[in-house]
Amino acid sequence: MNIVFTVGTMSAGGAERVVSSIANSLATDNNHITIVMWFDSPIFYTLNDKIGIIALESNSKIGKIREFRGIIKQINPDIVLSFLAPINIATIIAMIGLKIKLIVSERNDPRYVPFSPILRIVRNLLYRFSIAITTQTDNNKFYFSKQLQSKCTVIFNPVNIKPEMQRIALETKKKHKIVTVSRLVRQKNLQMLINAFEQSLQKYPAYELYIYGEGDEENKLKQIVTQKKLNGKVFFPGSVKDVHNKMIDAEIFILSSNFEGMPNALLEAMSLGLPCIATKVSGAVDLIEDGKNGVLISVGDEQSLANEICKLLADKNRRNIIGKEASKLFDKLSPNVIIEQWRRYIADKIQN
């Protein structure tokens, strides 16, 4: 099979991780795999040497669309898989009139992304020109019209941890540590997490909060930490490749997002055996049975987050029970299981 994946960049991110996993798997066979990035940036994930990498060079949107169209005509793939709504829109426009199959993949909550209501309307209109759509949850699939739902297939994200890492957090000596892994962007509502953590310090002053990731709100968040005199309590280690090993000695993982597609960091934290608190966003509500394998709170509910942090810190036995139940997620969403779903799905779309 001759397959092109296209995405904004291959930096650290959930969509990029899924692209790398699928592409690496397909590259082990006699397939010709190319990844086209719309923006040139360092590649965070390890890719098979057989995979071709192309970064668009044009600086203008129209130039990039023309350049992408030329590349696709030259490669003439059996199918193109586009990831992330803004890239999907540009890809569809670039491929108008080309008799090449296109699958678009929604990697966030389509109710919110793209952020512009006009672009969301444009996206919904353009998606009619794709042969198929993938979403990460039924909740996201049902956002679309009946016509587009008929094109939708739900494929959960794979849990990208090594099999031997399943449950390892349950066996690891703990520190007085709370952790999250997230892009440092407004969507993730990390300010609420910092505020709730500050409240929890009144009862549990020995604890520290580690926020792994990068993003355009980093300076703002660090200023908030300084203003609250939480330096030495809240840390920003950046994006690290061994983040799973950094997480496992924490007592709680927290997802504070305003919205999500399917939060990879939550998938991984649960599979590691960490007790997790998450807002009721798409993905989290599909993964967590409240009180059994995790804790759910309303979006933006800072007081509930602070309360639930304190409840979990007060009850080691409850943390262990929730962590054990959470770790079972890996059996359903291991990379082998999900990547095989993608392989069958792509082959079926090429043949039909």
Side-chain angles (χ1 to χ4, degrees), residues 3 31 37 79 82 117 154 162 295 315 334 340:
I3 301 170
N31 298 311
M37 305 187 300
I79 201 163
S82 179
V154 177
K162 297 176 182 178
V295 176
D315 194 338
S334 69
E340 183 57 31

Side-chain angles (χ1 to χ4, degrees), residues 13-225:
E16 295 83 354
R17 181 177 294 172
V18 172
V19 170
S20 67
S21 297
I22 303 169
N24 281 335
S25 177
L26 291 169
T28 60
D29 300 330
N30 294 320
N31 298 311
H32 186 274
I33 308 298
T34 306
I35 297 175
V36 180
M37 305 187 300
W38 285 72
F39 305 94
D40 194 7
S41 70
I43 296 172
F44 184 80
Y45 299 104
T46 302
L47 295 172
N48 190 303
D49 292 338
K50 296 179 181 179
I51 297 172
I53 306 293
I54 299 173
L56 300 185
E57 297 178 353
S58 177
N59 292 322
S60 71
K61 291 181 180 179
I62 293 176
K64 285 182 182 294
I65 287 171
R66 288 175 176 170
E67 187 181 353
F68 181 83
R69 182 180 179 89
I71 289 169
I72 295 303
K73 289 173 72 174
Q74 182 180 4
I75 296 175
N76 191 30
D78 297 311
I79 201 163
V80 174
L81 284 86
S82 179
F83 286 72
L84 297 168
I87 302 302
N88 297 344
I89 291 170
T91 297
I92 292 171
I93 293 171
M95 291 180 60
I96 287 175
L98 300 182
K99 295 181 179 180
I100 296 172
K101 294 178 178 179
L102 170 64
I103 296 172
V104 293
S105 186
E106 278 288 326
R107 312 310 300 176
N108 217 316
D109 191 327
R111 297 165 183 80
Y112 300 99
V113 177
F115 295 114
S116 164
I118 294 174
L119 277 181
R120 292 200 292 272
I121 293 171
V122 170
R123 173 202 57 197
N124 295 350
L125 292 171
L126 288 176
Y127 274 11
R128 299 176 184 181
F129 294 96
S130 66
I131 66 160
I133 304 165
T134 69
T135 65
Q136 298 164 298
T137 68
D138 286 318
N139 184 45
N140 288 346
K141 172 183 175 179
F142 294 140
Y143 157 80
F144 290 109
S145 66
K146 294 291 184 181
Q147 180 186 5
L148 291 182
Q149 283 182 37
S150 67
K151 294 186 174 190
C152 286
T153 297
V154 177
I155 304 179
F156 275 52
N157 280 2
V159 182
N160 282 285
I161 66 170
K162 297 176 182 178
E164 60 268 25
M165 294 287 282
Q166 184 184 15
R167 296 171 54 94
I168 195 170
L170 295 165
E171 304 159 7
T172 302
K173 184 178 180 180
K174 298 300 182 181
K175 295 180 180 178
H176 290 317
K177 177 178 173 181
I178 296 169
V179 67
T180 191
V181 180
S182 169
R183 286 181 294 117
L184 310 186
V185 296
R186 186 176 180 183
Q187 169 190 345
K188 306 299 184 177
N189 202 357
L190 294 166
Q191 183 171 348
M192 180 182 78
L193 172 55
I194 293 168
N195 292 343
F197 172 71
E198 180 186 31
Q199 289 191 51
S200 72
L201 287 176
Q202 296 175 20
K203 287 188 176 180
Y204 298 95
Y207 280 80
E208 297 173 344
L209 171 64
Y210 287 77
I211 301 175
Y212 290 93
E214 299 174 350
D216 57 22
E217 286 215 325
E218 182 172 349
N219 288 335
K220 174 187 172 182
L221 293 169
K222 287 181 175 178
Q223 288 173 6
I224 291 170
V225 168

Side-chain angles (χ1 to χ4, degrees), residues 255-294:
L255 178 84
S256 55
S257 298
N258 291 329
F259 60 91
E260 285 284 349
M262 173 59 71
N264 287 296
L266 178 64
L267 284 171
E268 293 158 15
M270 293 177 69
S271 297
L272 292 169
L274 285 168
C276 298
I277 303 172
T279 46
K280 295 177 182 178
V281 293
S282 180
V285 295
D286 298 86
L287 301 172
I288 292 178
E289 185 177 346
D290 189 25
K292 181 178 180 182
N293 65 344

Side-chain angles (χ1 to χ4, degrees), residues 286-350:
D286 298 86
L287 301 172
I288 292 178
E289 185 177 346
D290 189 25
K292 181 178 180 182
N293 65 344
V295 176
L296 292 171
I297 63 165
S298 297
V299 172
D301 192 341
E302 180 181 308
Q303 189 58 57
S304 288
L305 178 54
N307 292 343
E308 294 300 337
I309 290 172
C310 291
K311 287 179 183 178
L312 277 182
L313 291 181
D315 194 338
K316 180 179 179 180
N317 184 56
R318 182 168 177 248
R319 293 200 305 271
N320 287 336
I321 291 172
I322 288 175
K324 286 178 183 177
E325 287 298 319
S327 69
K328 296 176 182 178
L329 187 67
F330 182 80
D331 299 321
K332 300 177 182 178
L333 302 179
S334 69
N336 289 341
V337 171
I338 300 301
I339 297 306
E340 183 57 31
Q341 288 182 24
W342 272 104
R343 291 168 67 94
R344 292 197 304 266
Y345 175 75
I346 293 168
D348 177 70
K349 295 304 178 185
I350 289 175

